[in-house]
Amino acid sequence: MDPKPKGWRLVKIEGVPLAELTAKNWNQIKDFQARPDDVLICTFPKAGTAWIQEIVEMILHGGDSQKCDQLPIYQRSPFLDLFLPKPYLAGVKEAEEMPSPRILKTHLSAKLLPPSFWKQNCKIIYLARNIKDSAVSSFCFHQMTHLLPSPGDWNDFLENYIAGECTYGSWFDHVCGWWEAKDHYPILYLFYEDLKENPAQEIGKVARFLGVELPESVLSQIVQHTAFKSMKVNPMTNFSTLPSSILDHTVSSYMRKGTVGDWKEHLTVAQSERIDDICAQKLRDSGLIFRTQL
Ligand code: PPS
């Protein structure tokens, strides 16, 4: 018997598996009206979305952490493609009701993005993370959330993940699709591993992209406020304010490890080498290079 009977099924939209409620409400997402001053944060799941959301918020609030700490992160930047059962709001409705300027979150691939974002030429920040750490993080998240199907056995989960039979589809298509899109639209493409290695430098890139000048002291405040150890204990960023019917923190944490290379604790040598081979093959033409350790 499924130990998590509330887990959602996945339903494909244009070949991409999405959570059932997202797929059912697809027209609302597709027709979403972006505004020219929206900042959109895009990631494949578990790439560090909350991290970059908090960084963007802090930059736009001039490093004032009190402004960021007024509401949980998921209320400050609506998750467009998330539909929760009542009484919770749908991401698109929350976004529609929000005054500008808005910071929005999506896990959609470039090909599924609501067309109004392209038309309005919105600024988009894409954060990519290596597939090995993303897969491990995703497996642990599937165990703690009631919003997704149970992950089952790790080996089967990893095979499905590599094959793109998981929420939001193929990691390869996602990172490559957005990589290609960045040559045509105002997209800042960042890597989790770079952010981890040199947060001040990467946060500086985000600020310049957003047209904000950051004094050194503010930059260092943002680095501190958005460090893993700070975000893990901050109830406004660690998702502990969500009910256990959505995220069960007794099973795992949303802010779990926050490192590069945790995959070494989970993948066999054979699994790791197989992924290296597939990456070499599938990423070759793109020129994309991912680091799996620092
Ligand atoms: S989601 O549900 O897809 O939006 O999740 P997402 O926020 O993209 O990813 C969660 C992972 O990001 C890690 N994280 C961080 N790492 C480093 N520094 C900071 N500040 C930070 N904030 C979140 C989080 O711990 C998850 O990764 P794992 O590997 O599971 O720890």
Tab-separated table of all heavy atoms in Angstrom, residues 124-180:
chain	number	residue	atom	x	y	z
A	124	ILE	N	14.715	37.651	-16.363
A	124	ILE	CA	14.591	36.278	-15.869
A	124	ILE	C	15.933	35.842	-15.288
A	124	ILE	O	16.984	36.049	-15.911
A	124	ILE	CB	14.180	35.330	-17.018
A	124	ILE	CG1	12.804	35.739	-17.577
A	124	ILE	CG2	14.169	33.875	-16.550
A	124	ILE	CD1	12.326	34.904	-18.766
A	125	ILE	N	15.879	35.259	-14.094
A	125	ILE	CA	17.106	34.716	-13.501
A	125	ILE	C	16.951	33.199	-13.450
A	125	ILE	O	15.995	32.692	-12.848
A	125	ILE	CB	17.351	35.295	-12.091
A	125	ILE	CG1	17.513	36.825	-12.195
A	125	ILE	CG2	18.590	34.661	-11.462
A	125	ILE	CD1	17.589	37.535	-10.871
A	126	TYR	N	17.848	32.507	-14.115
A	126	TYR	CA	17.806	31.036	-14.118
A	126	TYR	C	18.964	30.526	-13.258
A	126	TYR	O	20.115	30.905	-13.457
A	126	TYR	CB	17.949	30.489	-15.549
A	126	TYR	CG	17.756	28.989	-15.599
A	126	TYR	CD1	16.471	28.439	-15.574
A	126	TYR	CD2	18.838	28.113	-15.640
A	126	TYR	CE1	16.282	27.067	-15.584
A	126	TYR	CE2	18.642	26.737	-15.656
A	126	TYR	CZ	17.368	26.220	-15.629
A	126	TYR	OH	17.174	24.852	-15.637
A	127	LEU	N	18.627	29.659	-12.310
A	127	LEU	CA	19.665	29.044	-11.471
A	127	LEU	C	19.694	27.551	-11.766
A	127	LEU	O	18.676	26.863	-11.643
A	127	LEU	CB	19.362	29.299	-9.983
A	127	LEU	CG	20.378	28.712	-8.995
A	127	LEU	CD1	21.762	29.356	-9.145
A	127	LEU	CD2	19.901	28.921	-7.548
A	128	ALA	N	20.870	27.061	-12.183
A	128	ALA	CA	21.020	25.642	-12.520
A	128	ALA	C	21.907	24.960	-11.475
A	128	ALA	O	22.802	25.595	-10.916
A	128	ALA	CB	21.662	25.517	-13.895
A	129	ARG	N	21.625	23.683	-11.222
A	129	ARG	CA	22.438	22.906	-10.261
A	129	ARG	C	22.777	21.568	-10.892
A	129	ARG	O	21.953	21.011	-11.641
A	129	ARG	CB	21.618	22.687	-8.988
A	129	ARG	CG	22.381	22.047	-7.848
A	129	ARG	CD	21.471	21.787	-6.657
A	129	ARG	NE	22.230	21.500	-5.463
A	129	ARG	CZ	21.705	21.179	-4.282
A	129	ARG	NH1	20.384	21.112	-4.149
A	129	ARG	NH2	22.470	20.919	-3.252
A	130	ASN	N	23.915	21.018	-10.574
A	130	ASN	CA	24.308	19.749	-11.204
A	130	ASN	C	23.277	18.653	-10.927
A	130	ASN	O	22.620	18.634	-9.894
A	130	ASN	CB	25.727	19.335	-10.769
A	130	ASN	CG	25.752	18.708	-9.390
A	130	ASN	OD1	25.363	17.564	-9.203
A	130	ASN	ND2	26.192	19.486	-8.389
A	131	ILE	N	23.172	17.750	-11.893
A	131	ILE	CA	22.102	16.744	-11.855
A	131	ILE	C	22.219	15.781	-10.666
A	131	ILE	O	21.207	15.342	-10.114
A	131	ILE	CB	22.036	15.953	-13.192
A	131	ILE	CG1	20.825	15.025	-13.206
A	131	ILE	CG2	23.315	15.216	-13.491
A	131	ILE	CD1	20.564	14.351	-14.550
A	132	LYS	N	23.422	15.490	-10.238
A	132	LYS	CA	23.570	14.500	-9.155
A	132	LYS	C	23.010	15.053	-7.831
A	132	LYS	O	22.229	14.385	-7.150
A	132	LYS	CB	25.040	14.112	-9.003
A	132	LYS	CG	25.620	13.408	-10.221
A	132	LYS	CD	27.104	13.104	-10.029
A	132	LYS	CE	27.713	12.529	-11.302
A	132	LYS	NZ	29.165	12.288	-11.151
A	133	ASP	N	23.421	16.262	-7.476
A	133	ASP	CA	22.898	16.844	-6.233
A	133	ASP	C	21.404	17.169	-6.360
A	133	ASP	O	20.659	17.041	-5.382
A	133	ASP	CB	23.676	18.125	-5.878
A	133	ASP	CG	25.041	17.818	-5.264
A	133	ASP	OD1	25.136	16.846	-4.489
A	133	ASP	OD2	26.009	18.531	-5.565
A	134	SER	N	20.981	17.572	-7.565
A	134	SER	CA	19.548	17.869	-7.762
A	134	SER	C	18.711	16.612	-7.548
A	134	SER	O	17.650	16.663	-6.916
A	134	SER	CB	19.292	18.394	-9.181
A	134	SER	OG	19.995	19.578	-9.408
A	135	ALA	N	19.190	15.492	-8.076
A	135	ALA	CA	18.430	14.241	-7.951
A	135	ALA	C	18.309	13.811	-6.490
A	135	ALA	O	17.230	13.422	-6.029
A	135	ALA	CB	19.106	13.141	-8.781
A	136	VAL	N	19.406	13.909	-5.753
A	136	VAL	CA	19.383	13.502	-4.334
A	136	VAL	C	18.429	14.408	-3.548
A	136	VAL	O	17.588	13.943	-2.763
A	136	VAL	CB	20.806	13.558	-3.717
A	136	VAL	CG1	20.744	13.403	-2.207
A	136	VAL	CG2	21.697	12.485	-4.342
A	137	SER	N	18.543	15.715	-3.792
A	137	SER	CA	17.697	16.676	-3.084
A	137	SER	C	16.228	16.409	-3.406
A	137	SER	O	15.347	16.442	-2.530
A	137	SER	CB	18.101	18.099	-3.487
A	137	SER	OG	17.324	19.038	-2.810
A	138	SER	N	15.966	16.101	-4.673
A	138	SER	CA	14.598	15.853	-5.107
A	138	SER	C	14.033	14.581	-4.453
A	138	SER	O	12.876	14.550	-4.012
A	138	SER	CB	14.594	15.707	-6.635
A	138	SER	OG	13.294	15.615	-7.100
A	139	PHE	N	14.865	13.553	-4.375
A	139	PHE	CA	14.429	12.301	-3.736
A	139	PHE	C	14.011	12.571	-2.276
A	139	PHE	O	12.942	12.136	-1.837
A	139	PHE	CB	15.569	11.275	-3.793
A	139	PHE	CG	15.242	9.974	-3.141
A	139	PHE	CD1	14.385	9.069	-3.760
A	139	PHE	CD2	15.787	9.634	-1.907
A	139	PHE	CE1	14.072	7.851	-3.155
A	139	PHE	CE2	15.476	8.419	-1.288
A	139	PHE	CZ	14.618	7.533	-1.923
A	140	CYS	N	14.849	13.316	-1.563
A	140	CYS	CA	14.545	13.605	-0.151
A	140	CYS	C	13.284	14.460	-0.039
A	140	CYS	O	12.471	14.282	0.875
A	140	CYS	CB	15.726	14.310	0.516
A	140	CYS	SG	17.201	13.291	0.542
A	141	PHE	N	13.109	15.384	-0.985
A	141	PHE	CA	11.923	16.253	-0.957
A	141	PHE	C	10.654	15.442	-1.224
A	141	PHE	O	9.627	15.664	-0.583
A	141	PHE	CB	12.085	17.372	-1.990
A	141	PHE	CG	10.990	18.399	-1.928
A	141	PHE	CD1	10.875	19.248	-0.837
A	141	PHE	CD2	10.069	18.517	-2.960
A	141	PHE	CE1	9.857	20.203	-0.775
A	141	PHE	CE2	9.053	19.473	-2.901
A	141	PHE	CZ	8.950	20.308	-1.805
A	142	HIS	N	10.738	14.506	-2.171
A	142	HIS	CA	9.569	13.659	-2.453
A	142	HIS	C	9.151	12.867	-1.208
A	142	HIS	O	7.982	12.523	-1.057
A	142	HIS	CB	9.863	12.674	-3.586
A	142	HIS	CG	9.657	13.241	-4.961
A	142	HIS	ND1	10.462	14.201	-5.500
A	142	HIS	CD2	8.719	12.973	-5.909
A	142	HIS	CE1	10.049	14.505	-6.722
A	142	HIS	NE2	8.979	13.780	-6.992
A	143	GLN	N	10.128	12.568	-0.356
A	143	GLN	CA	9.785	11.819	0.864
A	143	GLN	C	9.035	12.680	1.867
A	143	GLN	O	8.220	12.188	2.629
A	143	GLN	CB	11.073	11.282	1.514
A	143	GLN	CG	11.708	10.153	0.727
A	143	GLN	CD	13.019	9.688	1.341
A	143	GLN	OE1	13.833	10.498	1.794
A	143	GLN	NE2	13.222	8.388	1.365
A	144	MET	N	9.325	13.997	1.863
A	144	MET	CA	8.733	14.842	2.908
A	144	MET	C	7.470	15.578	2.472
A	144	MET	O	6.742	16.090	3.304
A	144	MET	CB	9.757	15.866	3.416
A	144	MET	CG	9.998	16.990	2.446
A	144	MET	SD	11.053	18.329	3.049
A	144	MET	CE	10.263	18.943	4.499
A	145	THR	N	7.222	15.641	1.150
A	145	THR	CA	6.087	16.443	0.707
A	145	THR	C	4.882	15.576	0.333
A	145	THR	O	5.043	14.470	-0.182
A	145	THR	CB	6.451	17.343	-0.496
A	145	THR	OG1	5.297	18.116	-0.842
A	145	THR	CG2	6.871	16.558	-1.713
A	146	HIS	N	3.710	16.125	0.616
A	146	HIS	CA	2.482	15.439	0.213
A	146	HIS	C	1.989	15.960	-1.130
A	146	HIS	O	0.920	15.592	-1.589
A	146	HIS	CB	1.407	15.614	1.291
A	146	HIS	CG	1.718	14.846	2.531
A	146	HIS	ND1	1.477	13.496	2.646
A	146	HIS	CD2	2.293	15.230	3.685
A	146	HIS	CE1	1.885	13.093	3.841
A	146	HIS	NE2	2.385	14.125	4.490
A	147	LEU	N	2.783	16.839	-1.737
A	147	LEU	CA	2.372	17.435	-3.008
A	147	LEU	C	2.822	16.615	-4.207
A	147	LEU	O	2.462	16.914	-5.333
A	147	LEU	CB	2.950	18.846	-3.147
A	147	LEU	CG	2.613	19.839	-2.047
A	147	LEU	CD1	3.222	21.193	-2.351
A	147	LEU	CD2	1.098	19.963	-1.898
A	148	LEU	N	3.652	15.622	-3.971
A	148	LEU	CA	4.207	14.829	-5.074
A	148	LEU	C	4.072	13.347	-4.748
A	148	LEU	O	3.951	12.980	-3.577
A	148	LEU	CB	5.700	15.175	-5.258
A	148	LEU	CG	5.989	16.596	-5.754
A	148	LEU	CD1	7.467	16.921	-5.582
A	148	LEU	CD2	5.562	16.751	-7.205
A	149	PRO	N	4.151	12.505	-5.777
A	149	PRO	CA	4.041	11.066	-5.506
A	149	PRO	C	5.198	10.586	-4.621
A	149	PRO	O	6.267	11.206	-4.593
A	149	PRO	CB	4.164	10.437	-6.907
A	149	PRO	CG	3.943	11.537	-7.879
A	149	PRO	CD	4.327	12.807	-7.205
A	150	SER	N	5.008	9.465	-3.929
A	150	SER	CA	6.099	8.882	-3.146
A	150	SER	C	7.252	8.543	-4.083
A	150	SER	O	7.018	8.096	-5.205
A	150	SER	CB	5.632	7.604	-2.471
A	150	SER	OG	4.679	7.919	-1.509
A	151	PRO	N	8.495	8.754	-3.636
A	151	PRO	CA	9.618	8.516	-4.555
A	151	PRO	C	9.919	7.035	-4.768
A	151	PRO	O	10.566	6.675	-5.746
A	151	PRO	CB	10.788	9.200	-3.849
A	151	PRO	CG	10.439	9.159	-2.398
A	151	PRO	CD	8.949	9.245	-2.328
A	152	GLY	N	9.455	6.181	-3.836
A	152	GLY	CA	9.772	4.753	-3.948
A	152	GLY	C	11.244	4.510	-3.677
A	152	GLY	O	11.892	5.277	-2.956
A	153	ASP	N	11.777	3.483	-4.307
A	153	ASP	CA	13.163	3.092	-4.086
A	153	ASP	C	14.124	4.074	-4.792
A	153	ASP	O	13.834	4.539	-5.902
A	153	ASP	CB	13.278	1.669	-4.673
A	153	ASP	CG	14.690	1.242	-4.877
A	153	ASP	OD1	15.339	0.933	-3.878
A	153	ASP	OD2	15.161	1.237	-6.038
A	154	TRP	N	15.260	4.373	-4.151
A	154	TRP	CA	16.203	5.366	-4.690
A	154	TRP	C	16.679	4.989	-6.099
A	154	TRP	O	16.760	5.834	-6.987
A	154	TRP	CB	17.378	5.543	-3.725
A	154	TRP	CG	18.615	6.126	-4.344
A	154	TRP	CD1	19.823	5.526	-4.487
A	154	TRP	CD2	18.776	7.451	-4.934
A	154	TRP	NE1	20.715	6.370	-5.118
A	154	TRP	CE2	20.104	7.568	-5.401
A	154	TRP	CE3	17.922	8.534	-5.116
A	154	TRP	CZ2	20.595	8.706	-6.039
A	154	TRP	CZ3	18.414	9.682	-5.755
A	154	TRP	CH2	19.730	9.762	-6.200
A	155	ASN	N	17.022	3.715	-6.315
A	155	ASN	CA	17.564	3.319	-7.628
A	155	ASN	C	16.525	3.542	-8.731
A	155	ASN	O	16.858	4.034	-9.811
A	155	ASN	CB	18.019	1.855	-7.607
A	155	ASN	CG	19.168	1.670	-6.640
A	155	ASN	OD1	20.109	2.455	-6.641
A	155	ASN	ND2	19.074	0.660	-5.782
A	156	ASP	N	15.278	3.189	-8.454
A	156	ASP	CA	14.216	3.397	-9.454
A	156	ASP	C	13.987	4.890	-9.658
A	156	ASP	O	13.800	5.361	-10.775
A	156	ASP	CB	12.891	2.763	-8.996
A	156	ASP	CG	12.999	1.252	-8.917
A	156	ASP	OD1	13.937	0.707	-9.533
A	156	ASP	OD2	12.162	0.634	-8.234
A	157	PHE	N	13.996	5.629	-8.551
A	157	PHE	CA	13.772	7.083	-8.642
A	157	PHE	C	14.832	7.707	-9.544
A	157	PHE	O	14.533	8.505	-10.437
A	157	PHE	CB	13.830	7.718	-7.237
A	157	PHE	CG	13.644	9.219	-7.244
A	157	PHE	CD1	12.376	9.779	-7.206
A	157	PHE	CD2	14.748	10.072	-7.318
A	157	PHE	CE1	12.203	11.168	-7.238
A	157	PHE	CE2	14.583	11.452	-7.354
A	157	PHE	CZ	13.304	12.001	-7.307
A	158	LEU	N	16.097	7.307	-9.329
A	158	LEU	CA	17.195	7.899	-10.109
A	158	LEU	C	17.048	7.564	-11.595
A	158	LEU	O	17.262	8.431	-12.451
A	158	LEU	CB	18.552	7.402	-9.576
A	158	LEU	CG	19.779	8.031	-10.231
A	158	LEU	CD1	19.837	9.545	-9.983
A	158	LEU	CD2	21.073	7.389	-9.721
A	159	GLU	N	16.668	6.330	-11.890
A	159	GLU	CA	16.487	5.953	-13.302
A	159	GLU	C	15.403	6.824	-13.947
A	159	GLU	O	15.566	7.317	-15.052
A	159	GLU	CB	16.100	4.466	-13.418
A	159	GLU	CG	17.263	3.518	-13.206
A	159	GLU	CD	18.516	3.884	-14.011
A	159	GLU	OE1	18.388	4.113	-15.222
A	159	GLU	OE2	19.599	3.979	-13.420
A	160	ASN	N	14.282	6.983	-13.249
A	160	ASN	CA	13.191	7.816	-13.776
A	160	ASN	C	13.639	9.266	-13.941
A	160	ASN	O	13.286	9.939	-14.908
A	160	ASN	CB	11.973	7.782	-12.845
A	160	ASN	CG	11.234	6.472	-12.957
A	160	ASN	OD1	11.275	5.819	-14.004
A	160	ASN	ND2	10.583	6.062	-11.883
A	161	TYR	N	14.423	9.714	-12.991
A	161	TYR	CA	14.908	11.105	-13.008
A	161	TYR	C	15.790	11.329	-14.237
A	161	TYR	O	15.621	12.309	-14.973
A	161	TYR	CB	15.702	11.355	-11.724
A	161	TYR	CG	15.985	12.807	-11.418
A	161	TYR	CD1	15.102	13.568	-10.669
A	161	TYR	CD2	17.158	13.417	-11.861
A	161	TYR	CE1	15.355	14.893	-10.377
A	161	TYR	CE2	17.427	14.745	-11.563
A	161	TYR	CZ	16.525	15.479	-10.810
A	161	TYR	OH	16.796	16.799	-10.527
A	162	ILE	N	16.702	10.404	-14.481
A	162	ILE	CA	17.600	10.530	-15.644
A	162	ILE	C	16.782	10.491	-16.936
A	162	ILE	O	17.062	11.212	-17.893
A	162	ILE	CB	18.663	9.398	-15.633
A	162	ILE	CG1	19.591	9.546	-14.424
A	162	ILE	CG2	19.470	9.383	-16.928
A	162	ILE	CD1	20.507	8.356	-14.184
A	163	ALA	N	15.738	9.660	-16.923
A	163	ALA	CA	14.907	9.510	-18.129
A	163	ALA	C	13.922	10.664	-18.313
A	163	ALA	O	13.218	10.733	-19.317
A	163	ALA	CB	14.154	8.187	-18.061
A	164	GLY	N	13.847	11.539	-17.331
A	164	GLY	CA	12.931	12.683	-17.432
A	164	GLY	C	11.505	12.331	-17.049
A	164	GLY	O	10.579	13.103	-17.293
A	165	GLU	N	11.338	11.183	-16.394
A	165	GLU	CA	9.990	10.767	-15.968
A	165	GLU	C	9.767	11.222	-14.529
A	165	GLU	O	9.532	10.406	-13.633
A	165	GLU	CB	9.821	9.254	-16.113
A	165	GLU	CG	9.820	8.760	-17.556
A	165	GLU	CD	8.694	9.361	-18.408
A	165	GLU	OE1	7.615	9.633	-17.878
A	165	GLU	OE2	8.934	9.582	-19.610
A	166	CYS	N	9.898	12.508	-14.304
A	166	CYS	CA	9.688	13.052	-12.958
A	166	CYS	C	9.074	14.440	-13.131
A	166	CYS	O	8.947	14.921	-14.257
A	166	CYS	CB	11.021	13.136	-12.212
A	166	CYS	SG	12.234	14.104	-13.093
A	167	THR	N	8.693	15.075	-12.008
A	167	THR	CA	8.029	16.372	-12.123
A	167	THR	C	8.904	17.370	-12.894
A	167	THR	O	10.070	17.521	-12.575
A	167	THR	CB	7.776	16.972	-10.713
A	167	THR	OG1	7.767	15.933	-9.785
A	167	THR	CG2	6.514	17.769	-10.670
A	168	TYR	N	8.306	18.017	-13.856
A	168	TYR	CA	8.942	18.995	-14.740
A	168	TYR	C	9.846	18.352	-15.788
A	168	TYR	O	10.557	19.038	-16.510
A	168	TYR	CB	9.669	20.106	-13.958
A	168	TYR	CG	8.687	20.943	-13.169
A	168	TYR	CD1	8.469	20.727	-11.812
A	168	TYR	CD2	7.937	21.921	-13.813
A	168	TYR	CE1	7.527	21.460	-11.110
A	168	TYR	CE2	6.998	22.667	-13.118
A	168	TYR	CZ	6.798	22.433	-11.764
A	168	TYR	OH	5.867	23.165	-11.073
A	169	GLY	N	9.835	17.021	-15.867
A	169	GLY	CA	10.466	16.346	-16.995
A	169	GLY	C	11.972	16.215	-16.920
A	169	GLY	O	12.545	16.040	-15.840
A	170	SER	N	12.595	16.343	-18.076
A	170	SER	CA	14.025	16.057	-18.190
A	170	SER	C	14.880	17.222	-17.691
A	170	SER	O	14.763	18.351	-18.181
A	170	SER	CB	14.350	15.768	-19.665
A	170	SER	OG	15.717	15.958	-19.909
A	171	TRP	N	15.762	16.905	-16.746
A	171	TRP	CA	16.737	17.914	-16.273
A	171	TRP	C	17.544	18.426	-17.463
A	171	TRP	O	17.816	19.629	-17.564
A	171	TRP	CB	17.635	17.249	-15.220
A	171	TRP	CG	18.751	18.115	-14.703
A	171	TRP	CD1	18.722	18.955	-13.612
A	171	TRP	CD2	20.089	18.234	-15.248
A	171	TRP	NE1	19.933	19.585	-13.462
A	171	TRP	CE2	20.791	19.153	-14.446
A	171	TRP	CE3	20.740	17.648	-16.326
A	171	TRP	CZ2	22.126	19.500	-14.692
A	171	TRP	CZ3	22.069	17.989	-16.575
A	171	TRP	CH2	22.746	18.912	-15.763
A	172	PHE	N	17.928	17.537	-18.371
A	172	PHE	CA	18.762	17.924	-19.527
A	172	PHE	C	18.023	18.945	-20.403
A	172	PHE	O	18.584	19.967	-20.788
A	172	PHE	CB	19.129	16.693	-20.367
A	172	PHE	CG	19.960	15.702	-19.602
A	172	PHE	CD1	19.374	14.577	-19.037
A	172	PHE	CD2	21.316	15.901	-19.433
A	172	PHE	CE1	20.137	13.674	-18.316
A	172	PHE	CE2	22.086	15.007	-18.709
A	172	PHE	CZ	21.491	13.882	-18.147
A	173	ASP	N	16.757	18.630	-20.731
A	173	ASP	CA	15.979	19.554	-21.571
A	173	ASP	C	15.831	20.905	-20.890
A	173	ASP	O	15.869	21.955	-21.538
A	173	ASP	CB	14.572	18.988	-21.848
A	173	ASP	CG	14.625	17.777	-22.762
A	173	ASP	OD1	15.716	17.502	-23.319
A	173	ASP	OD2	13.590	17.096	-22.897
A	174	HIS	N	15.651	20.871	-19.566
A	174	HIS	CA	15.418	22.103	-18.813
A	174	HIS	C	16.649	22.988	-18.852
A	174	HIS	O	16.581	24.157	-19.274
A	174	HIS	CB	15.048	21.746	-17.365
A	174	HIS	CG	14.162	22.724	-16.684
A	174	HIS	ND1	14.640	23.892	-16.132
A	174	HIS	CD2	12.833	22.721	-16.447
A	174	HIS	CE1	13.626	24.557	-15.585
A	174	HIS	NE2	12.520	23.870	-15.764
A	175	VAL	N	17.799	22.444	-18.424
A	175	VAL	CA	19.000	23.301	-18.351
A	175	VAL	C	19.429	23.751	-19.757
A	175	VAL	O	19.879	24.874	-19.946
A	175	VAL	CB	20.190	22.626	-17.604
A	175	VAL	CG1	19.826	22.367	-16.150
A	175	VAL	CG2	20.652	21.339	-18.285
A	176	CYS	N	19.247	22.883	-20.753
A	176	CYS	CA	19.653	23.248	-22.128
A	176	CYS	C	18.670	24.244	-22.744
A	176	CYS	O	19.077	25.170	-23.447
A	176	CYS	CB	19.758	22.013	-23.025
A	176	CYS	SG	21.152	20.976	-22.583
A	177	GLY	N	17.385	24.056	-22.487
A	177	GLY	CA	16.369	24.953	-23.057
A	177	GLY	C	16.568	26.382	-22.573
A	177	GLY	O	16.508	27.342	-23.349
A	178	TRP	N	16.817	26.528	-21.283
A	178	TRP	CA	17.018	27.880	-20.735
A	178	TRP	C	18.363	28.450	-21.161
A	178	TRP	O	18.508	29.662	-21.352
A	178	TRP	CB	16.872	27.871	-19.204
A	178	TRP	CG	15.421	27.893	-18.793
A	178	TRP	CD1	14.676	26.853	-18.310
A	178	TRP	CD2	14.534	29.012	-18.880
A	178	TRP	NE1	13.389	27.253	-18.077
A	178	TRP	CE2	13.274	28.578	-18.410
A	178	TRP	CE3	14.683	30.331	-19.292
A	178	TRP	CZ2	12.162	29.416	-18.353
A	178	TRP	CZ3	13.581	31.177	-19.238
A	178	TRP	CH2	12.344	30.712	-18.772
A	179	TRP	N	19.362	27.587	-21.313
A	179	TRP	CA	20.696	28.017	-21.769
A	179	TRP	C	20.585	28.623	-23.172
A	179	TRP	O	21.178	29.650	-23.473
A	179	TRP	CB	21.630	26.807	-21.751
A	179	TRP	CG	23.054	27.065	-22.139
A	179	TRP	CD1	23.680	26.676	-23.291
A	179	TRP	CD2	24.060	27.749	-21.361
A	179	TRP	NE1	24.993	27.078	-23.282
A	179	TRP	CE2	25.261	27.739	-22.115
A	179	TRP	CE3	24.062	28.384	-20.111
A	179	TRP	CZ2	26.442	28.319	-21.668
A	179	TRP	CZ3	25.254	28.957	-19.658
A	179	TRP	CH2	26.410	28.923	-20.428
A	180	GLU	N	19.800	27.974	-24.013
A	180	GLU	CA	19.613	28.466	-25.376
A	180	GLU	C	18.807	29.781	-25.363
A	180	GLU	O	19.133	30.731	-26.069
A	180	GLU	CB	18.862	27.398	-26.168
A	180	GLU	CG	19.129	27.450	-27.637
A	180	GLU	CD	18.201	26.494	-28.352
A	180	GLU	OE1	18.193	25.294	-28.011
A	180	GLU	OE2	17.464	26.977	-29.225
